[in-house]
Every structure is written in structure tokens, then in C-alpha cells.
């Protein structure tokens, strides 16, 4: 892709330069990252490629963004986002960690979320397939990271990256939406248990048992329900004691939802449920 001619052609078109998420790395490149790059844009780091100092963009050999595409010179890192052609995914971040709030999130050295409070989601962001390093800091700081980890984003998926406490460490749980064709007369809902202190639980909707023995970090199957207002109860699987109830879960036809169970059952805050609309309900590729 010739830079001079295509910069004009891309006017009015969405490109990677418009994205909040940075460009991905290869597995080898991400393994070579050092601590000095935690809050430094990876595009400023010279791996095996040459640096385009005038434009401030790194040029890497090969093109991981258009697999099978034989366009000439497509290794320039400004990538046009063409619906139905460009391979990308969506990702949002959830702070589901009650012991770490608020937080700043850096991806490949770029800050993508500031002061993300417990129970808060970011908006969905487009991300190209590849590897990313995610570094979490206490909000407003850039030293002594809370968590350093790596993820691999696959094309044409919708992710929620949930920051959780496992009781041993802090980590990201990658949760993928099912991009099914939605039934315009039904609503879909699933349950995701992200509290390590919560007991094994059964899930009831309108006093009907729909899921048994939901465990920590488990993502349930989708349930197909008639739209409308529903009562959700979570009960201890071994004693049938109700530990959480939400009588106002409203489901709209043609949409898909996830019920995230978060919190600390051993503290005064207890457990909470978050019921956001899934991206599969309204995002497109």
C-alpha cells in the first residue's frame, strides 16, 4: 500500500489510527518486551523492523492483519478497516476485582482505561488479531503494577476481559460472546461466576431451577427465554439458602445478556450481579 496515494484514499474511512487499542504483536515480539515498556507505546520500540521516524509508526516485516491478502506493501501499520473485509475483533474490559479499584489499564504500552472502578465496564474497542500485553496499575500510578499478563486475540470474536481475584493472584478471564443469529422473539442469557469466595450455587429464574452447581470462573450455557421482567435467585447448592436475589432482570427480545456474579461473600459488600447487554446484540463486523 503506497502511503502517499492511500492516505488520500483512506480519508473518511476508519483506520487503525482511529482505534483506542494499539496494534498487536507477534508471539516472539511480546516475549521480548521488557519492564521498561510497561507504559511506553510498543510502536516506539524497535524490534526487528525499522522505525518510520517521520510518521511515528513502526514498519514490521510481514502483515498479520490481512492473512491471505496479497496487496503490495501492506506492512505499513495504518490499516484501513473495511466492513466485511478487514479481520478484527471487539474487546471491552471489566473490573470485577473488589480488592483492586480504581485501576488504569495499559495495553502494549498504551493506556486504554483510566480510573476503571470495581463493577465498571469500558466500551467495546476494535482490536486486530494478535498478541497483547496487559498491565494493570493502581489508578494514577505507573510503578509497581498489580498485574502483568498476555492475551491472544482471535479474529471475528467479541470479548469481555474480566479482571478478577482468584484468591491467589489477580488475572484476566477472557469471556467470548456467542455471535449466534439472534431470535427476534426471544432473549438469551447466560451466567458467569467471577467471585472466588462465593459457594457453589444454583440459579433460579422465576423460582424455576435453570442451572445447577455454578462454580467460580464457570461460564454457563445460554438460556433462551421469553422477553420481559424476570426474577433471578442464586442459592447455595448444598443448603438451598438464597444468597442473592434480583427481581428486576428485564430482557428485551432479540438481545443477548450476561449475568456477571461479582463481589466478596465474606465481606460487608457481599455479592452483586451485573447484567449488561452483550456486544453480539448490536456490534457488526
Amino acid at each position: 500500500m503506497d502511503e502517499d496515494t492511500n492516505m488520500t484514499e483512506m480519508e473518511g474511512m476508519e483506520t487503525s489510527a482511529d482505534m483506542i487499542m494499539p496494534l498487536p504483536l507477534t508471539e516472539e515480539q511480546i516475549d521480548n518486551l521488557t519492564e521498561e515498556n510497561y507504559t511506553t507505546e510498543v510502536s516506539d520500540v524497535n524490534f526487528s523492523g525499522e522505525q518510520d521516524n517521520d510518521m511515528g509508526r513502526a514498519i514490521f516485516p510481514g502483515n498479520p492483519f490481512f492473512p491471505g491478502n496479497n496487496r503490495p506493501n501492506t506492512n505499513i501499520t495504518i490499516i484501513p478497516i473495511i466492513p466485511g473485509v478487514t479481520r478484527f475483533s471487539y474487546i471491552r474490559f471489566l473490573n470485577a476485582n473488589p480488592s483492586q479499584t480504581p485501576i488504569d489499564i495499559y495495553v502494549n504500552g498504551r493506556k486504554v482505561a483510566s480510573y476503571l472502578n470495581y463493577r465498571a465496564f469500558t466500551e467495546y474497542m476494535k482490536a486486530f488479531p494478535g498478541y497483547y500485553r496487559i498491565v494493570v496499575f493502581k489508578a494514577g500510578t505507573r510503578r509497581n503494577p498489580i498485574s502483568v499478563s498476555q492475551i491472544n486475540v482471535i479474529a471475528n470474536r467479541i470479548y469481555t476481559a474480566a479482571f478478577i481475584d482468584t484468591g491467589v493472584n489477580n488475572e484476566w478471564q477472557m469471556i467470548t460472546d456467542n455471535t449466534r443469529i439472534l431470535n427476534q422473539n426471544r432473549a438469551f442469557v447466560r451466567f458467569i461466576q467471577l467471585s472466588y469466595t462465593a459457594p457453589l450455587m444454583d440459579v433460579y429464574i422465576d423460582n424455576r431451577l435453570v442451572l445447577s452447581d455454578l462454580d467460580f470462573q464457570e461460564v454457563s450455557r445460554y438460556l433462551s427465554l421469553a422477553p420481559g421482567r424476570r426474577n433471578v435467585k442464586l442459592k447455595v447448592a448444598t443448603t438451598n439458602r438464597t444468597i442473592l436475589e434480583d427481581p428486576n432482570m428485564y430482557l428485551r427480545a432479540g438481545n443477548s445478556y450476561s449475568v456477571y456474579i461479582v463481589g466478596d461473600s465474606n465481606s460487608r459488600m457481599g455479592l452483586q450481579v451485573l447484567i449488561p447487554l452483550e456486544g453480539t446484540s448490536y456490534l457488526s463486523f
Side-chain angles (χ1 to χ4, degrees):
M1 181 169 59
D2 180 75
E3 185 172 333
D4 293 333
T5 59
N6 281 275
M7 286 302 290
T8 300
E9 291 175 11
M10 289 191 296
E11 288 182 5
M13 177 188 296
E14 186 178 6
T15 73
S16 60
D18 305 309
M19 295 167 61
I20 298 174
M21 287 284 287
L23 293 174
L25 302 174
T26 65
E27 188 172 12
E28 180 182 3
Q29 288 166 347
I30 204 164
D31 286 343
N32 290 332
L33 289 177
T34 62
E35 292 185 9
E36 287 74 16
N37 305 130
Y38 280 161
T39 60
T40 301
E41 286 271 3
V42 169
S43 60
D44 296 334
V45 179
N46 192 333
F47 293 102
S48 58
E50 60 185 278
Q51 180 73 34
D52 179 358
N53 291 318
D54 292 335
M55 299 301 295
R57 294 185 295 274
I59 300 176
F60 297 103
N63 178 22
F65 311 110
F66 290 91
N69 191 316
N70 294 320
R71 294 183 185 182
N73 301 322
T74 52
N75 58 348
I76 295 176
T77 59
I78 289 185
I79 310 299
I81 302 174
I82 306 170
V85 176
T86 310
R87 299 182 65 191
F88 65 91
S89 288
Y90 292 95
I91 187 170
R92 67 179 173 184
F93 296 93
L94 162 65
N95 184 358
N97 193 325
S99 64
Q100 302 292 345
T101 184
I103 58 174
D104 290 343
I105 302 171
Y106 286 79
V107 178
N108 288 355
R110 179 185 299 179
K111 184 189 286 188
V112 300
S114 296
Y115 285 83
L116 189 67
N117 284 310
Y118 166 58
R119 298 191 296 178
F121 292 82
T122 67
E123 297 294 329
Y124 281 103
M125 296 171 265
K126 288 176 180 168
F128 290 113
Y131 289 87
Y132 296 85
R133 183 175 66 181
I134 306 178
V135 183
V136 180
F137 293 94
K138 181 179 178 181
T141 69
R142 294 197 297 177
R143 293 184 179 180
N144 302 317
I146 298 167
S147 170
V148 180
S149 55
Q150 299 173 8
I151 63 170
N152 181 21
V153 170
I154 308 300
N156 299 319
R157 297 191 182 182
I158 301 173
Y159 294 97
T160 296
F163 188 53
I164 63 172
D165 182 356
T166 66
V168 177
N169 54 27
N170 302 293
E171 66 179 47
W172 291 96
Q173 180 167 342
M174 300 296 291
I175 301 160
T176 308
D177 289 3
N178 186 328
T179 53
R180 70 178 74 202
I181 298 175
L182 297 174
N183 185 327
Q184 295 306 308
N185 297 314
R186 305 287 289 179
F188 295 89
V189 64
R190 64 178 173 174
F191 291 79
I192 302 170
Q193 211 286 71
L194 299 181
S195 172
Y196 82 93
T197 62
L200 205 64
M201 62 182 70
D202 295 338
V203 179
Y204 290 76
I205 296 180
D206 295 336
N207 294 315
R208 179 171 64 93
L209 178 66
V210 294
L211 294 170
S212 298
D213 299 331
L214 187 68
D215 204 356
F216 175 52
Q217 292 189 272
E218 185 176 354
V219 179
S220 82
R221 69 184 187 276
Y222 284 88
L223 306 173
S224 175
L225 300 172
R229 196 172 304 280
R230 302 294 178 194
N231 179 284
V232 177
K233 287 183 183 177
L234 306 178
K235 296 185 178 184
V236 179
T238 54
T239 66
N240 207 37
R241 176 175 61 89
T242 298
I243 52 177
L244 184 63
E245 181 175 6
D246 185 341
N248 294 305
M249 180 176 72
Y250 190 81
L251 306 176
R252 295 185 181 275
N255 287 328
S256 185
Y257 302 84
S258 289
V259 178
Y260 293 88
I261 302 161
V262 300
D264 183 354
S265 61
N266 295 330
S267 72
R268 292 182 59 184
M269 81 165 55
L271 301 177
Q272 300 90 39
V273 290
L274 312 174
I275 313 178
L277 189 64
E278 286 189 352
T280 191
S281 302
Y282 58 90
L283 298 174
S284 60
F285 291 95

